[in-house]
Amino acid sequence: LRAAFGVNARADVLASLLAASPHDLTAADLARTTRFTKPNVAFALDALVLAGLATAHPVANERRIRLPSNEPLLQGLRPPLAQPDWVSRFGVALEVHRFAERDGASTTVRAVEARRLIESLTDRILAEDMPMPNLDAAGDEFASAFDRWLVDFVYWLRAASRG
């Protein structure tokens, strides 16, 4: 069973490395994008490094993996299917949910806190192509723009989970 599972993991890990090239990735990064467990990804990475298809170098307490060059590795390897990063998506949803649960703030305070929340989440929102609120709204108007975005975001999450 492990040998059969390892073949799929190696192919998915290699495809993810191709998609990330020329950036270095860790086993944890690859486990998140391939949806395999970290031990299975580490096993696949060991096989790819041993075969000379990937290189590894230590950085602090991590081992970073990358493809050795831009040369084609396997002629028949098709491009990887982009997998959504549900950890990031649910992380954003959780932060937004926690914010929405708070009650009692004035519109002005809510607008300021909502903008601060979005600014802290912008990198994750953009990385996953999530909808963004209207950042051009100023002052108290941002509270309403945030509420409209919140509805759009929930619909976007529901549609993304089906597709």
Side-chain angles (χ1 to χ4, degrees), residues 99-100 110 114 133 141-152:
F99 177 83
R110 189 165 189 282
E141 292 176 14
F142 190 74
S144 298
F146 179 83
D147 290 340
R148 284 189 299 276
W149 170 78
L150 189 56
V151 172
D152 292 343

Side-chain angles (χ1 to χ4, degrees), residues 57-74:
H57 61 281
V59 174
N61 65 346
E62 298 179 323
R63 184 173 71 144
R64 295 206 161 263
I65 309 295
R66 78 166 22 177
L67 297 178
S69 67
N70 290 334
E71 298 173 15
L73 294 175
L74 302 172

Side-chain angles (χ1 to χ4, degrees), residues 10 14 43-56 68 73-74:
R10 281 191 298 270
L14 186 56
F43 179 74
L45 287 173
D46 289 341
L48 293 171
V49 169
L50 187 61
L53 296 174
T55 58
L73 294 175
L74 302 172

Side-chain angles (χ1 to χ4, degrees), residues 60-104:
N61 65 346
E62 298 179 323
R63 184 173 71 144
R64 295 206 161 263
I65 309 295
R66 78 166 22 177
L67 297 178
S69 67
N70 290 334
E71 298 173 15
L73 294 175
L74 302 172
Q75 295 299 329
L77 188 64
R78 62 177 191 234
L81 297 173
Q83 296 292 323
D85 183 353
W86 286 104
V87 173
S88 289
R89 291 177 180 198
F90 284 135
V92 170
L94 180 61
E95 292 296 322
V96 169
H97 175 70
R98 286 178 179 154
F99 177 83
E101 287 292 303
R102 287 188 253 156
D103 255 351

Side-chain angles (χ1 to χ4, degrees), residues 121-132:
L121 299 173
T122 296
D123 290 342
R124 288 192 277 174
I125 290 172
L126 293 176
E128 280 300 302
D129 245 1
M130 298 178 206
M132 281 290 285

